[in-house]
Amino acid sequence: AVGAADQGMGERTIPALDLNWVDTRNKKAQMKLEKLDNDLKNYKSNSIKESIRRGHDDLGDHFLDSGDLANALKCYSRARDYCTSGKHVVSMCVNVIKVSVYLQNWSHVISYVNKALATPDLNDGNLKSTEHLTMVTRLKCAGGLADLMTRKYSAAAKQFLGASLDHCECPDLVSPNNVAIYGGLTALATFDRSELHKQVISSAQFKLFLELEPQLREVLQCFYDSRYGQCLKLLEDMKDNLLLDIYLAPHINTLFSMIRNRGLVQYFSPYSSADLNKMANSFNTSVSGLENELMKLILDGSIQGRIDSHNKVLLAQDVDQRSHTFSKAVEMAELYQRRARMLVLRSAVLRANISVKCPARDQQDHNNYSNGAN
């Protein structure tokens, strides 16, 4: 049976390159390019901004279809000078963002996402409600993707959490499943326990995305319930599939490490001491491996404690509460004293009538008084 299968595989041949088809497609693309170029020249001679903008967009679309991303970006960017409304500006930004994602120019993506979100028409809700939400979701997804690729995981999580499932219509960027995975993993790696519950697990909006990825939803719930062993096991089961994601693959090891470290910190946070044997069982690792992990967390200040290697116990660092309270009281007293001196100084300045007044503000107050009198 294996031999037959091998023979069947061997009979398959790679089809020959059809040069005639390639030449035909290239000629059609060149003819269309010449037509669009002539149309743009005519629009410019008529000096109609709207037509010129559309001409640049059509040229950009053609270059994008032809795979010439650099020229597509130039054409879409040139349309900026001929935008006559906020809606046109947003459309131009979306086109530039799409090509910049393909070019992996993430700083460009972030810049144009911010530009689009700052457009007055988008903020005032002049666009139709569905169209407005679809556009905002698209921009949030693009911004989240750029933040993810530049390793700003907390910012990426907030962007993805702001997306709406009902209006997530950007198959050329990410799918709703991608949004669920990217948002869930980045939030798990960067959010504290209360934020994770409030903004992810209990979020009415993001909960709909998590319905598409039940395994990830289970991971989040296990982490929140402090079932770290089961949580990390489920993540390992998902790892192979996640490594096939072109955007997420370079960040998987970093995110998984951050999630594990956050789990270790949360596990120890309520205790003054913890048994390393029990802790190692909870995190599916050996005691020696756990000691190495804890050592790194202690050195970078994530855990305030020390390891008793002989008794295999992690001890919280002793804090003198009396000294801490005293130093805090002194700090508050100094702050109060400073504020009191500032109030006394201000009252003395006003009493002596030596305060400097702003002429423009005085003139404005005088004009307002005059208008009121009239």
Side-chain angles (χ1 to χ4, degrees), residues 173-206:
L173 289 178
V174 290
S175 69
N177 294 67
N178 293 142
V179 175
I181 291 170
Y182 299 165
L185 288 179
T186 50
L188 197 57
T190 57
F191 285 8
D192 61 30
R193 199 163 179 274
S194 59
E195 283 179 319
L196 191 68
H197 183 260
K198 184 179 179 182
Q199 298 185 36
V200 183
I201 297 173
S202 298
S203 169
Q205 191 165 294
F206 197 72

PDB file of all heavy atoms in Angstrom, residues 173-206:
ATOM      1  N   LEU A 173      -6.626  41.522   6.161  1.00  0.00           N
ATOM      2  CA  LEU A 173      -5.710  41.757   7.287  1.00  0.00           C
ATOM      3  C   LEU A 173      -5.727  40.582   8.262  1.00  0.00           C
ATOM      4  O   LEU A 173      -4.754  39.849   8.371  1.00  0.00           O
ATOM      5  CB  LEU A 173      -6.097  43.046   8.019  1.00  0.00           C
ATOM      6  CG  LEU A 173      -5.845  44.373   7.314  1.00  0.00           C
ATOM      7  CD1 LEU A 173      -6.336  45.524   8.172  1.00  0.00           C
ATOM      8  CD2 LEU A 173      -4.369  44.547   7.010  1.00  0.00           C
ATOM      9  N   VAL A 174      -6.838  40.418   8.978  1.00  0.00           N
ATOM     10  CA  VAL A 174      -6.965  39.343   9.965  1.00  0.00           C
ATOM     11  C   VAL A 174      -8.398  38.816   9.961  1.00  0.00           C
ATOM     12  O   VAL A 174      -9.334  39.516   9.560  1.00  0.00           O
ATOM     13  CB  VAL A 174      -6.617  39.830  11.397  1.00  0.00           C
ATOM     14  CG1 VAL A 174      -5.139  40.106  11.537  1.00  0.00           C
ATOM     15  CG2 VAL A 174      -7.428  41.050  11.774  1.00  0.00           C
ATOM     16  N   SER A 175      -8.559  37.587  10.432  1.00  0.00           N
ATOM     17  CA  SER A 175      -9.892  37.000  10.588  1.00  0.00           C
ATOM     18  C   SER A 175     -10.351  37.182  12.034  1.00  0.00           C
ATOM     19  O   SER A 175      -9.526  37.480  12.917  1.00  0.00           O
ATOM     20  CB  SER A 175      -9.841  35.510  10.240  1.00  0.00           C
ATOM     21  OG  SER A 175      -9.098  34.812  11.232  1.00  0.00           O
ATOM     22  N   PRO A 176     -11.637  37.013  12.324  1.00  0.00           N
ATOM     23  CA  PRO A 176     -12.100  37.104  13.721  1.00  0.00           C
ATOM     24  C   PRO A 176     -11.381  36.123  14.648  1.00  0.00           C
ATOM     25  O   PRO A 176     -11.112  36.439  15.808  1.00  0.00           O
ATOM     26  CB  PRO A 176     -13.598  36.773  13.616  1.00  0.00           C
ATOM     27  CG  PRO A 176     -13.981  37.187  12.227  1.00  0.00           C
ATOM     28  CD  PRO A 176     -12.773  36.890  11.385  1.00  0.00           C
ATOM     29  N   ASN A 177     -11.035  34.932  14.131  1.00  0.00           N
ATOM     30  CA  ASN A 177     -10.282  33.960  14.944  1.00  0.00           C
ATOM     31  C   ASN A 177      -8.901  34.506  15.305  1.00  0.00           C
ATOM     32  O   ASN A 177      -8.419  34.315  16.429  1.00  0.00           O
ATOM     33  CB  ASN A 177     -10.131  32.643  14.184  1.00  0.00           C
ATOM     34  CG  ASN A 177     -11.459  31.948  13.968  1.00  0.00           C
ATOM     35  OD1 ASN A 177     -12.304  32.453  13.239  1.00  0.00           O
ATOM     36  ND2 ASN A 177     -11.646  30.803  14.597  1.00  0.00           N
ATOM     37  N   ASN A 178      -8.272  35.191  14.339  1.00  0.00           N
ATOM     38  CA  ASN A 178      -6.966  35.801  14.607  1.00  0.00           C
ATOM     39  C   ASN A 178      -7.066  36.845  15.702  1.00  0.00           C
ATOM     40  O   ASN A 178      -6.215  36.925  16.593  1.00  0.00           O
ATOM     41  CB  ASN A 178      -6.407  36.460  13.345  1.00  0.00           C
ATOM     42  CG  ASN A 178      -6.041  35.467  12.261  1.00  0.00           C
ATOM     43  OD1 ASN A 178      -6.245  35.722  11.080  1.00  0.00           O
ATOM     44  ND2 ASN A 178      -5.517  34.316  12.646  1.00  0.00           N
ATOM     45  N   VAL A 179      -8.127  37.660  15.647  1.00  0.00           N
ATOM     46  CA  VAL A 179      -8.322  38.706  16.654  1.00  0.00           C
ATOM     47  C   VAL A 179      -8.460  38.081  18.041  1.00  0.00           C
ATOM     48  O   VAL A 179      -7.876  38.564  19.023  1.00  0.00           O
ATOM     49  CB  VAL A 179      -9.562  39.564  16.323  1.00  0.00           C
ATOM     50  CG1 VAL A 179      -9.836  40.568  17.440  1.00  0.00           C
ATOM     51  CG2 VAL A 179      -9.367  40.309  15.009  1.00  0.00           C
ATOM     52  N   ALA A 180      -9.220  36.977  18.120  1.00  0.00           N
ATOM     53  CA  ALA A 180      -9.411  36.289  19.404  1.00  0.00           C
ATOM     54  C   ALA A 180      -8.074  35.784  19.952  1.00  0.00           C
ATOM     55  O   ALA A 180      -7.755  35.979  21.132  1.00  0.00           O
ATOM     56  CB  ALA A 180     -10.379  35.121  19.229  1.00  0.00           C
ATOM     57  N   ILE A 181      -7.274  35.153  19.092  1.00  0.00           N
ATOM     58  CA  ILE A 181      -5.997  34.568  19.535  1.00  0.00           C
ATOM     59  C   ILE A 181      -5.001  35.656  19.900  1.00  0.00           C
ATOM     60  O   ILE A 181      -4.371  35.619  20.966  1.00  0.00           O
ATOM     61  CB  ILE A 181      -5.428  33.647  18.437  1.00  0.00           C
ATOM     62  CG1 ILE A 181      -6.310  32.407  18.295  1.00  0.00           C
ATOM     63  CG2 ILE A 181      -3.998  33.234  18.765  1.00  0.00           C
ATOM     64  CD1 ILE A 181      -5.990  31.544  17.101  1.00  0.00           C
ATOM     65  N   TYR A 182      -4.847  36.660  19.011  1.00  0.00           N
ATOM     66  CA  TYR A 182      -3.878  37.731  19.271  1.00  0.00           C
ATOM     67  C   TYR A 182      -4.255  38.506  20.541  1.00  0.00           C
ATOM     68  O   TYR A 182      -3.404  38.764  21.400  1.00  0.00           O
ATOM     69  CB  TYR A 182      -3.812  38.711  18.097  1.00  0.00           C
ATOM     70  CG  TYR A 182      -3.390  38.116  16.776  1.00  0.00           C
ATOM     71  CD1 TYR A 182      -3.579  38.805  15.583  1.00  0.00           C
ATOM     72  CD2 TYR A 182      -2.788  36.858  16.698  1.00  0.00           C
ATOM     73  CE1 TYR A 182      -3.203  38.271  14.366  1.00  0.00           C
ATOM     74  CE2 TYR A 182      -2.418  36.313  15.485  1.00  0.00           C
ATOM     75  CZ  TYR A 182      -2.627  37.024  14.320  1.00  0.00           C
ATOM     76  OH  TYR A 182      -2.256  36.495  13.114  1.00  0.00           O
ATOM     77  N   GLY A 183      -5.529  38.873  20.639  1.00  0.00           N
ATOM     78  CA  GLY A 183      -5.987  39.639  21.802  1.00  0.00           C
ATOM     79  C   GLY A 183      -5.892  38.839  23.084  1.00  0.00           C
ATOM     80  O   GLY A 183      -5.447  39.347  24.121  1.00  0.00           O
ATOM     81  N   GLY A 184      -6.290  37.556  23.026  1.00  0.00           N
ATOM     82  CA  GLY A 184      -6.271  36.712  24.220  1.00  0.00           C
ATOM     83  C   GLY A 184      -4.864  36.465  24.744  1.00  0.00           C
ATOM     84  O   GLY A 184      -4.600  36.602  25.947  1.00  0.00           O
ATOM     85  N   LEU A 185      -3.937  36.136  23.845  1.00  0.00           N
ATOM     86  CA  LEU A 185      -2.570  35.819  24.282  1.00  0.00           C
ATOM     87  C   LEU A 185      -1.823  37.059  24.780  1.00  0.00           C
ATOM     88  O   LEU A 185      -1.116  37.001  25.784  1.00  0.00           O
ATOM     89  CB  LEU A 185      -1.783  35.167  23.136  1.00  0.00           C
ATOM     90  CG  LEU A 185      -2.183  33.738  22.771  1.00  0.00           C
ATOM     91  CD1 LEU A 185      -1.351  33.231  21.603  1.00  0.00           C
ATOM     92  CD2 LEU A 185      -2.028  32.798  23.959  1.00  0.00           C
ATOM     93  N   THR A 186      -1.973  38.181  24.078  1.00  0.00           N
ATOM     94  CA  THR A 186      -1.278  39.403  24.513  1.00  0.00           C
ATOM     95  C   THR A 186      -1.840  39.910  25.836  1.00  0.00           C
ATOM     96  O   THR A 186      -1.089  40.406  26.684  1.00  0.00           O
ATOM     97  CB  THR A 186      -1.367  40.507  23.442  1.00  0.00           C
ATOM     98  OG1 THR A 186      -2.739  40.668  23.017  1.00  0.00           O
ATOM     99  CG2 THR A 186      -0.501  40.189  22.245  1.00  0.00           C
ATOM    100  N   ALA A 187      -3.165  39.772  26.037  1.00  0.00           N
ATOM    101  CA  ALA A 187      -3.763  40.174  27.314  1.00  0.00           C
ATOM    102  C   ALA A 187      -3.288  39.258  28.440  1.00  0.00           C
ATOM    103  O   ALA A 187      -2.965  39.712  29.544  1.00  0.00           O
ATOM    104  CB  ALA A 187      -5.291  40.135  27.213  1.00  0.00           C
ATOM    105  N   LEU A 188      -3.224  37.967  28.156  1.00  0.00           N
ATOM    106  CA  LEU A 188      -2.780  36.990  29.160  1.00  0.00           C
ATOM    107  C   LEU A 188      -1.329  37.260  29.578  1.00  0.00           C
ATOM    108  O   LEU A 188      -0.960  37.067  30.742  1.00  0.00           O
ATOM    109  CB  LEU A 188      -2.898  35.584  28.574  1.00  0.00           C
ATOM    110  CG  LEU A 188      -2.868  34.387  29.528  1.00  0.00           C
ATOM    111  CD1 LEU A 188      -3.974  34.496  30.564  1.00  0.00           C
ATOM    112  CD2 LEU A 188      -3.010  33.093  28.749  1.00  0.00           C
ATOM    113  N   ALA A 189      -0.523  37.748  28.634  1.00  0.00           N
ATOM    114  CA  ALA A 189       0.899  37.973  28.915  1.00  0.00           C
ATOM    115  C   ALA A 189       1.157  39.289  29.641  1.00  0.00           C
ATOM    116  O   ALA A 189       2.191  39.434  30.299  1.00  0.00           O
ATOM    117  CB  ALA A 189       1.695  37.946  27.611  1.00  0.00           C
ATOM    118  N   THR A 190       0.246  40.249  29.547  1.00  0.00           N
ATOM    119  CA  THR A 190       0.541  41.596  30.065  1.00  0.00           C
ATOM    120  C   THR A 190      -0.443  42.109  31.112  1.00  0.00           C
ATOM    121  O   THR A 190      -0.081  42.978  31.904  1.00  0.00           O
ATOM    122  CB  THR A 190       0.584  42.615  28.906  1.00  0.00           C
ATOM    123  OG1 THR A 190      -0.662  42.587  28.186  1.00  0.00           O
ATOM    124  CG2 THR A 190       1.715  42.297  27.937  1.00  0.00           C
ATOM    125  N   PHE A 191      -1.687  41.619  31.135  1.00  0.00           N
ATOM    126  CA  PHE A 191      -2.688  42.143  32.068  1.00  0.00           C
ATOM    127  C   PHE A 191      -2.556  41.479  33.437  1.00  0.00           C
ATOM    128  O   PHE A 191      -2.210  40.301  33.524  1.00  0.00           O
ATOM    129  CB  PHE A 191      -4.102  41.906  31.537  1.00  0.00           C
ATOM    130  CG  PHE A 191      -4.502  42.817  30.410  1.00  0.00           C
ATOM    131  CD1 PHE A 191      -3.588  43.672  29.812  1.00  0.00           C
ATOM    132  CD2 PHE A 191      -5.800  42.818  29.928  1.00  0.00           C
ATOM    133  CE1 PHE A 191      -3.942  44.506  28.775  1.00  0.00           C
ATOM    134  CE2 PHE A 191      -6.178  43.649  28.890  1.00  0.00           C
ATOM    135  CZ  PHE A 191      -5.239  44.493  28.307  1.00  0.00           C
ATOM    136  N   ASP A 192      -2.873  42.249  34.485  1.00  0.00           N
ATOM    137  CA  ASP A 192      -2.940  41.616  35.810  1.00  0.00           C
ATOM    138  C   ASP A 192      -4.290  40.918  35.969  1.00  0.00           C
ATOM    139  O   ASP A 192      -5.141  40.972  35.080  1.00  0.00           O
ATOM    140  CB  ASP A 192      -2.701  42.641  36.924  1.00  0.00           C
ATOM    141  CG  ASP A 192      -3.725  43.760  36.946  1.00  0.00           C
ATOM    142  OD1 ASP A 192      -4.884  43.514  36.549  1.00  0.00           O
ATOM    143  OD2 ASP A 192      -3.382  44.886  37.344  1.00  0.00           O
ATOM    144  N   ARG A 193      -4.485  40.266  37.098  1.00  0.00           N
ATOM    145  CA  ARG A 193      -5.653  39.388  37.273  1.00  0.00           C
ATOM    146  C   ARG A 193      -6.976  40.143  37.157  1.00  0.00           C
ATOM    147  O   ARG A 193      -7.919  39.678  36.506  1.00  0.00           O
ATOM    148  CB  ARG A 193      -5.546  38.688  38.633  1.00  0.00           C
ATOM    149  CG  ARG A 193      -6.396  37.450  38.768  1.00  0.00           C
ATOM    150  CD  ARG A 193      -5.929  36.599  39.944  1.00  0.00           C
ATOM    151  NE  ARG A 193      -6.763  35.427  40.082  1.00  0.00           N
ATOM    152  CZ  ARG A 193      -7.897  35.393  40.762  1.00  0.00           C
ATOM    153  NH1 ARG A 193      -8.308  36.482  41.384  1.00  0.00           N
ATOM    154  NH2 ARG A 193      -8.623  34.286  40.844  1.00  0.00           N
ATOM    155  N   SER A 194      -7.051  41.310  37.772  1.00  0.00           N
ATOM    156  CA  SER A 194      -8.310  42.077  37.735  1.00  0.00           C
ATOM    157  C   SER A 194      -8.604  42.584  36.329  1.00  0.00           C
ATOM    158  O   SER A 194      -9.752  42.541  35.860  1.00  0.00           O
ATOM    159  CB  SER A 194      -8.241  43.255  38.724  1.00  0.00           C
ATOM    160  OG  SER A 194      -7.163  44.107  38.399  1.00  0.00           O
ATOM    161  N   GLU A 195      -7.570  43.055  35.631  1.00  0.00           N
ATOM    162  CA  GLU A 195      -7.756  43.529  34.253  1.00  0.00           C
ATOM    163  C   GLU A 195      -8.180  42.386  33.342  1.00  0.00           C
ATOM    164  O   GLU A 195      -9.036  42.553  32.463  1.00  0.00           O
ATOM    165  CB  GLU A 195      -6.449  44.136  33.716  1.00  0.00           C
ATOM    166  CG  GLU A 195      -6.133  45.526  34.237  1.00  0.00           C
ATOM    167  CD  GLU A 195      -4.822  46.039  33.672  1.00  0.00           C
ATOM    168  OE1 GLU A 195      -3.855  45.267  33.573  1.00  0.00           O
ATOM    169  OE2 GLU A 195      -4.760  47.233  33.332  1.00  0.00           O
ATOM    170  N   LEU A 196      -7.572  41.223  33.541  1.00  0.00           N
ATOM    171  CA  LEU A 196      -7.895  40.060  32.714  1.00  0.00           C
ATOM    172  C   LEU A 196      -9.371  39.683  32.858  1.00  0.00           C
ATOM    173  O   LEU A 196     -10.047  39.387  31.864  1.00  0.00           O
ATOM    174  CB  LEU A 196      -7.006  38.888  33.124  1.00  0.00           C
ATOM    175  CG  LEU A 196      -7.018  37.665  32.205  1.00  0.00           C
ATOM    176  CD1 LEU A 196      -6.386  37.999  30.875  1.00  0.00           C
ATOM    177  CD2 LEU A 196      -6.270  36.503  32.856  1.00  0.00           C
ATOM    178  N   HIS A 197      -9.878  39.720  34.090  1.00  0.00           N
ATOM    179  CA  HIS A 197     -11.281  39.374  34.325  1.00  0.00           C
ATOM    180  C   HIS A 197     -12.221  40.433  33.762  1.00  0.00           C
ATOM    181  O   HIS A 197     -13.209  40.112  33.086  1.00  0.00           O
ATOM    182  CB  HIS A 197     -11.528  39.196  35.825  1.00  0.00           C
ATOM    183  CG  HIS A 197     -12.929  38.776  36.137  1.00  0.00           C
ATOM    184  ND1 HIS A 197     -13.895  39.667  36.561  1.00  0.00           N
ATOM    185  CD2 HIS A 197     -13.539  37.560  36.066  1.00  0.00           C
ATOM    186  CE1 HIS A 197     -15.027  39.027  36.741  1.00  0.00           C
ATOM    187  NE2 HIS A 197     -14.838  37.741  36.459  1.00  0.00           N
ATOM    188  N   LYS A 198     -11.896  41.693  34.010  1.00  0.00           N
ATOM    189  CA  LYS A 198     -12.791  42.783  33.617  1.00  0.00           C
ATOM    190  C   LYS A 198     -12.816  43.018  32.111  1.00  0.00           C
ATOM    191  O   LYS A 198     -13.884  43.162  31.506  1.00  0.00           O
ATOM    192  CB  LYS A 198     -12.372  44.068  34.346  1.00  0.00           C
ATOM    193  CG  LYS A 198     -13.304  45.246  34.089  1.00  0.00           C
ATOM    194  CD  LYS A 198     -12.823  46.468  34.865  1.00  0.00           C
ATOM    195  CE  LYS A 198     -13.728  47.675  34.594  1.00  0.00           C
ATOM    196  NZ  LYS A 198     -13.251  48.884  35.303  1.00  0.00           N
ATOM    197  N   GLN A 199     -11.621  43.053  31.483  1.00  0.00           N
ATOM    198  CA  GLN A 199     -11.526  43.466  30.080  1.00  0.00           C
ATOM    199  C   GLN A 199     -11.560  42.310  29.087  1.00  0.00           C
ATOM    200  O   GLN A 199     -11.795  42.530  27.900  1.00  0.00           O
ATOM    201  CB  GLN A 199     -10.238  44.277  29.862  1.00  0.00           C
ATOM    202  CG  GLN A 199     -10.188  45.559  30.672  1.00  0.00           C
ATOM    203  CD  GLN A 199      -8.954  46.390  30.343  1.00  0.00           C
ATOM    204  OE1 GLN A 199      -8.516  46.447  29.203  1.00  0.00           O
ATOM    205  NE2 GLN A 199      -8.382  47.035  31.350  1.00  0.00           N
ATOM    206  N   VAL A 200     -11.319  41.078  29.569  1.00  0.00           N
ATOM    207  CA  VAL A 200     -11.275  39.946  28.640  1.00  0.00           C
ATOM    208  C   VAL A 200     -12.366  38.925  28.946  1.00  0.00           C
ATOM    209  O   VAL A 200     -13.283  38.725  28.151  1.00  0.00           O
ATOM    210  CB  VAL A 200      -9.886  39.266  28.678  1.00  0.00           C
ATOM    211  CG1 VAL A 200      -9.826  38.131  27.649  1.00  0.00           C
ATOM    212  CG2 VAL A 200      -8.783  40.274  28.402  1.00  0.00           C
ATOM    213  N   ILE A 201     -12.273  38.290  30.107  1.00  0.00           N
ATOM    214  CA  ILE A 201     -13.200  37.189  30.416  1.00  0.00           C
ATOM    215  C   ILE A 201     -14.642  37.680  30.543  1.00  0.00           C
ATOM    216  O   ILE A 201     -15.576  37.036  30.054  1.00  0.00           O
ATOM    217  CB  ILE A 201     -12.753  36.470  31.705  1.00  0.00           C
ATOM    218  CG1 ILE A 201     -11.375  35.839  31.503  1.00  0.00           C
ATOM    219  CG2 ILE A 201     -13.765  35.403  32.125  1.00  0.00           C
ATOM    220  CD1 ILE A 201     -10.755  35.256  32.759  1.00  0.00           C
ATOM    221  N   SER A 202     -14.848  38.847  31.190  1.00  0.00           N
ATOM    222  CA  SER A 202     -16.205  39.354  31.404  1.00  0.00           C
ATOM    223  C   SER A 202     -16.627  40.382  30.360  1.00  0.00           C
ATOM    224  O   SER A 202     -17.721  40.945  30.453  1.00  0.00           O
ATOM    225  CB  SER A 202     -16.310  39.991  32.795  1.00  0.00           C
ATOM    226  OG  SER A 202     -16.058  39.039  33.792  1.00  0.00           O
ATOM    227  N   SER A 203     -15.790  40.640  29.382  1.00  0.00           N
ATOM    228  CA  SER A 203     -16.111  41.635  28.349  1.00  0.00           C
ATOM    229  C   SER A 203     -17.195  41.098  27.416  1.00  0.00           C
ATOM    230  O   SER A 203     -17.010  40.061  26.764  1.00  0.00           O
ATOM    231  CB  SER A 203     -14.854  41.980  27.548  1.00  0.00           C
ATOM    232  OG  SER A 203     -15.180  42.727  26.406  1.00  0.00           O
ATOM    233  N   ALA A 204     -18.323  41.788  27.356  1.00  0.00           N
ATOM    234  CA  ALA A 204     -19.430  41.342  26.493  1.00  0.00           C
ATOM    235  C   ALA A 204     -19.015  41.355  25.031  1.00  0.00           C
ATOM    236  O   ALA A 204     -19.466  40.514  24.241  1.00  0.00           O
ATOM    237  CB  ALA A 204     -20.637  42.252  26.705  1.00  0.00           C
ATOM    238  N   GLN A 205     -18.137  42.279  24.669  1.00  0.00           N
ATOM    239  CA  GLN A 205     -17.718  42.429  23.276  1.00  0.00           C
ATOM    240  C   GLN A 205     -16.700  41.369  22.880  1.00  0.00           C
ATOM    241  O   GLN A 205     -16.852  40.686  21.864  1.00  0.00           O
ATOM    242  CB  GLN A 205     -17.122  43.828  23.076  1.00  0.00           C
ATOM    243  CG  GLN A 205     -16.880  44.207  21.623  1.00  0.00           C
ATOM    244  CD  GLN A 205     -16.648  45.694  21.474  1.00  0.00           C
ATOM    245  OE1 GLN A 205     -17.519  46.508  21.708  1.00  0.00           O
ATOM    246  NE2 GLN A 205     -15.446  46.055  21.085  1.00  0.00           N
ATOM    247  N   PHE A 206     -15.652  41.191  23.709  1.00  0.00           N
ATOM    248  CA  PHE A 206     -14.586  40.248  23.344  1.00  0.00           C
ATOM    249  C   PHE A 206     -14.990  38.799  23.615  1.00  0.00           C
ATOM    250  O   PHE A 206     -14.403  37.879  23.030  1.00  0.00           O
ATOM    251  CB  PHE A 206     -13.304  40.587  24.115  1.00  0.00           C
ATOM    252  CG  PHE A 206     -12.075  39.953  23.517  1.00  0.00           C
ATOM    253  CD1 PHE A 206     -11.557  40.408  22.321  1.00  0.00           C
ATOM    254  CD2 PHE A 206     -11.448  38.892  24.143  1.00  0.00           C
ATOM    255  CE1 PHE A 206     -10.434  39.823  21.755  1.00  0.00           C
ATOM    256  CE2 PHE A 206     -10.321  38.300  23.595  1.00  0.00           C
ATOM    257  CZ  PHE A 206      -9.814  38.766  22.398  1.00  0.00           C
TER     258      PHE A 206
END
